[in-house]
Amino acid sequence: MDYRESIDWLYATQMFGIKLGLENAARLLESLEISETRELPKVIHVAGTNGKGSVCAFAEQILRDAGVRTGLFTSPHLVTYRERVRVSGEMIPEANVAALLSTIRERIQDWEPHPTFFEISLALAMRHFRDRECEVVVLETGMGGRLDATTAVGADVSVITAISLDHQQWLGGTLREIAAEKAGILKADTPVVIADLHPEARDVVGRRALALGIPCIEAHPLPQEWELGLKGPHQRENAALAVEAVCRVEGERLTQEGIRRSLARASWPGRFQIVDDRVVLDGAHNPDAATSLRRAWQEAFPDEKAHLVFGVAQAKDVDAIFANLLPIIASVSLVPIASERRLSSPAMKKSLESVAGTSVPTTVFATLPDAMESALRQRERVLVAGSLFLVGETLSLLQGKGFETSLQ
């Protein structure tokens, strides 16, 4: 298969849905000669509700700048699938994607149950990292933790970022239930670094760490004078988590001054990303993320309100998202995201009106190009938020690049 054929085959595996569990992932890793019985890179494993990608970006930047050969596995992608798998900052080449997916397809054609999109992506990434002789891999969970495919990979340090309500249909309806799923990545003999968690979540994670007899480490606050490449007050904690994690997998090549420089130059697309000083992109898709976005906006643009271009998936607490963003919104354009799980524009409008009444001028658009053309005629700065699907499509549109619509 060439790249396009292999990607089309991979996207077709989305028909198998989301299947939480480790057995299939472990079997697939073993079939590609990736297992704890073989020499593998060190692994930083990151779980949490919000901030996972930012922690991964900070950690990878620090390690790469120190001369460590890094592997980075994240999801979802914004524009191209290749973003999910990077070695020392470089996306996996199309030829490698095609070759690895061809191998995987051949090996799993008779498997029952069939591996999922995410399980295949993880296996592809880990084999690529092994082939490229990565020294440290930074691994972001897909969803949850306990039964997330990434947990089938051994780790040298675990990280738990901020925990809040999200994906309740999969992870549970209470903070304690969700925290228990996130804490499922903890392993014996593997220290865990934790954010400043809500007391209920902290209790769950702490008890799990105690049962395993492992250190449960709080991140040390960064010096206030240190600048960060990722904007917003919440990023200081994410950066601190990354620093604690990298110091436990790589000591000799790290220096305080080097870490400081790396944090200042770290970047992560779609997380309060300012494009041409006119458009801000942020994949805030739950209430806590919306609060962090509002604070980042107020810090960056204290005297401005935004024209919000918004689209979101179903099963999100849209009322709370709008309520948290309302103080920075001047007007809104609603547009469906490029996903079968999209929330309809009438449903989004009803939610906005339940929070703001008719006080916020709102327009519904059928397509993102139409919405952005109108938004860029507004006098306010444009804020695109609500879903990473929407952020990715917007980034593709603004950069004039091809957009792989079958995102997961």
Side-chain angles (χ1 to χ4, degrees):
M1 297 187 292
D2 63 18
Y3 176 72
R4 187 67 257 173
E5 290 170 334
S6 65
I7 286 294
D8 287 345
W9 170 78
L10 178 61
Y11 286 150
T13 66
Q14 291 181 358
M15 64 182 285
F16 299 109
I18 297 172
K19 297 176 183 176
L20 297 178
L22 305 183
E23 290 185 6
N24 235 26
R27 181 186 177 191
L28 184 51
L29 290 167
E30 179 65 31
S31 76
L32 293 175
E33 301 177 350
I34 306 294
S35 74
E36 294 188 53
T37 62
R38 294 179 171 86
E39 186 174 348
L40 296 173
K42 294 180 180 178
V43 173
I44 297 173
H45 192 191
V46 184
T49 305
N50 294 314
K52 298 191 297 295
S54 297
V55 170
C56 290
F58 279 127
E60 193 277 335
Q61 188 75 60
I62 294 168
L63 292 165
R64 175 161 37 109
D65 289 348
V68 178
R69 190 167 182 79
T70 60
L72 177 63
F73 176 73
T74 58
S75 61
H77 61 268
L78 297 181
V79 177
T80 173
Y81 176 83
R82 296 166 54 228
E83 298 168 25
R84 295 172 180 247
V85 183
R86 300 174 187 258
V87 172
S88 294
E90 297 295 326
M91 292 189 295
I92 182 172
E94 290 186 358
N96 294 75
V97 174
L100 286 169
L101 287 180
S102 295
T103 297
I104 292 171
R105 182 181 186 180
E106 182 178 339
R107 295 191 183 184
I108 67 174
Q109 57 184 340
D110 297 324
W111 284 24
E112 182 60 42
H114 194 284
T116 65
F117 176 100
F118 190 75
E119 290 166 342
I120 294 168
S121 296
L122 172 67
L124 177 152
M126 293 303 298
R127 180 55 189 257
H128 184 61
F129 297 151
R130 200 204 73 173
D131 291 347
R132 295 294 300 276
E133 298 181 339
C134 292
E135 298 173 88
V136 179
V137 167
V138 183
L139 201 60
E140 180 190 9
T141 56
M143 182 173 64
R146 182 176 64 92
L147 298 176
D148 187 80
T150 57
T151 304
V153 178
D156 295 87
V157 61
S158 304
V159 180
I160 303 291
T161 69
I163 296 175
S164 60
L165 296 177
D166 200 8
H167 299 298
Q168 290 98 313
Q169 70 271 38
W170 295 100
L171 305 180
T174 69
L175 200 58
R176 296 190 71 88
E177 289 174 327
I178 293 174
E181 292 299 318
K182 307 295 184 183
I185 74 166
L186 273 58
K187 297 179 175 70
D189 303 318
T190 303
V192 59
V193 180
I194 65 169
D196 182 16
L197 300 174
H198 183 282
E200 287 186 47
R202 181 187 175 84
D203 179 64
V204 171
V205 175
R207 287 177 183 273
R208 174 64 178 163
L210 185 64
L212 291 170
I214 60 174
C216 189
I217 305 154
E218 291 187 355
H220 292 83
L222 299 175
Q224 283 299 318
E225 65 271 18
W226 284 22
E227 295 184 4
L228 302 181
L230 302 182
K231 303 306 179 185
H234 60 293
Q235 294 294 1
R236 301 200 70 81
E237 180 174 65
N238 292 332
L241 290 168
V243 171
E244 292 286 348
V246 299
C247 286
R248 279 161 176 77
V249 296
E250 177 58 50
E252 294 183 359
R253 286 178 279 185
L254 299 179
T255 66
Q256 185 180 80
E257 189 54 38
I259 290 172
R260 181 177 181 176
R261 286 196 302 268
S262 296
L263 293 178
R265 65 193 300 265
S267 63
W268 195 231
R271 281 70 172 182
F272 208 80
Q273 179 183 0
I274 301 174
V275 181
D276 295 334
D277 200 41
R278 184 73 175 88
V279 179
V280 178
L281 308 176
D282 194 286
H285 60 276
N286 59 49
D288 279 9
T291 296
S292 295
L293 169 56
R294 184 190 73 231
R295 290 171 178 166
W297 181 278
Q298 290 170 331
E299 182 179 78
F301 314 114
D303 300 320
E304 294 185 32
K305 288 195 173 185
H307 176 82
L308 176 67
V309 177
F310 186 87
V312 73
Q314 299 170 9
K316 298 294 182 180
D317 189 349
V318 185
D319 287 9
I321 293 173
F322 279 133
N324 291 343
L325 290 178
L326 197 57
I328 63 169
I329 296 174
S331 54
V332 178
S333 293
L334 298 173
V335 63
I337 64 174
S339 168
E340 293 180 356
R341 301 194 301 271
R342 69 179 68 89
L343 185 65
S344 70
S345 295
M348 289 189 286
K349 187 174 183 180
K350 180 179 179 181
S351 180
L352 177 59
E353 290 176 348
S354 74
V355 172
T358 57
S359 63
V360 179
T362 303
T363 307
V364 172
F365 292 89
T367 69
L368 179 63
D370 289 343
M372 287 301 296
E373 182 181 356
S374 174
L376 290 170
R377 291 199 299 264
Q378 307 297 318
R379 64 182 180 85
E380 294 90 5
R381 198 182 306 262
V382 177
L383 171 62
V384 180
S387 168
L388 283 170
F389 290 87
L390 185 65
V391 166
E393 189 177 1
T394 305
L395 194 59
S396 175
L397 179 69
L398 295 175
Q399 295 178 345
K401 295 181 178 179
F403 177 59
E404 294 178 2
T405 57
S406 298
L407 295 172
Q408 186 181 77

